[in-house]
Amino acid sequence: MSEQAARNILSLYQRHASAFARLRSQTLFEKSWLEKFLHANCGEKHILDIGCGNGVPIAAWFIAQGFQVTGIDGAPAMLARARSRFPAQRWLEQDMRSLALGHTFSGLVAWDSFFHLTAQDQRKMFPVFAQHSHSGSALLFTSGPANGIAMGQFEGEPLYHASLAPDEYRALLHSNGFDVLDVVMEDPDCTGHTVWLAQKR
């Protein structure tokens, strides 16, 4: 079941884009981490939002801070909402696993998106992060707290999540040119999210 659920992630969000827009928390519980991310940012103002969904609330917050956002997502119905609300930004239908935009960004965010990939695909993402970063670029992503698979539900369908062990994330970051600036496992001030903040050397 978990393998099928992993393959169905993009189609699940495509089918339930309206429900996601209705149910996604707008409280911006992520704000303290977004502020840390901006503080670590190398001073430029172009963010790559990987798995941007409908652009709310995270991309919306960056836009309000004066940042240009390039958002990528594999669900066209989610992107349509982002384009409608923020037409001045760049929204691209892309699978993060094959991302190759040919330029770098001052910051990369993969909030509640990267952790829907299988462990094998997560490992392959770190060179992708590196290819879209330059010295000083910040990287913010969420994961699980330990190696394994966690199955949830969304709109009555299985929702796949996976995580590597923290030591493996650290090793992958280091080998791809990133230094860990901060990490909190199951942050009680961020609804229990496990959050990583790193910076490209």
Side-chain angles (χ1 to χ4, degrees), residues 41 44-48 67-70 103-107:
N41 188 283
E44 300 158 22
K45 287 202 165 187
H46 197 171
I47 301 296
L48 178 62
F67 280 72
Q68 181 71 27
V69 172
T70 293
H103 55 274
T104 60
F105 298 82
S106 57

Side-chain angles (χ1 to χ4, degrees), residues 19-138:
F20 181 86
R22 184 179 72 253
L23 297 171
R24 173 60 161 96
S25 172
Q26 303 299 305
T27 61
L28 207 67
F29 59 82
E30 312 93 338
K31 186 178 179 182
S32 65
W33 281 100
L34 301 181
E35 289 173 339
K36 289 179 187 179
F37 170 83
L38 290 193
H39 183 72
N41 188 283
C42 60
E44 300 158 22
K45 287 202 165 187
H46 197 171
I47 301 296
L48 178 62
D49 188 348
I50 302 171
C52 62
N54 60 23
V56 179
I58 290 178
W61 187 83
F62 285 123
I63 294 164
Q65 311 311 307
F67 280 72
Q68 181 71 27
V69 172
T70 293
I72 68 108
D73 203 281
M78 302 283 268
L79 287 171
R81 291 172 178 273
R83 289 192 185 106
S84 176
R85 187 158 184 173
F86 307 107
Q89 308 301 315
R90 187 181 184 209
W91 308 103
L92 303 174
E93 185 182 342
Q94 297 268 344
D95 186 322
M96 70 176 75
R97 293 167 290 190
S98 55
L99 193 64
L101 298 180
H103 55 274
T104 60
F105 298 82
S106 57
L108 287 74
V109 179
W111 190 278
D112 284 1
S113 57
F114 164 81
F115 67 2
H116 288 309
L117 301 181
T118 65
Q120 182 178 3
D121 284 339
Q122 287 189 34
R123 294 180 182 105
K124 294 176 182 177
M125 279 300 300
F126 286 85
V128 175
F129 294 150
Q131 289 162 15
H132 293 85
S133 304
H134 52 260
S135 180
S137 296

Side-chain angles (χ1 to χ4, degrees), residues 3 10 17 19 43 46-47 50 87 94 105 140 153-154 178 184:
E3 291 180 4
L10 294 180
H46 197 171
I47 301 296
I50 302 171
Q94 297 268 344
F105 298 82
L140 182 69
Q153 273 203 345
F154 185 59
F178 291 92
V184 177

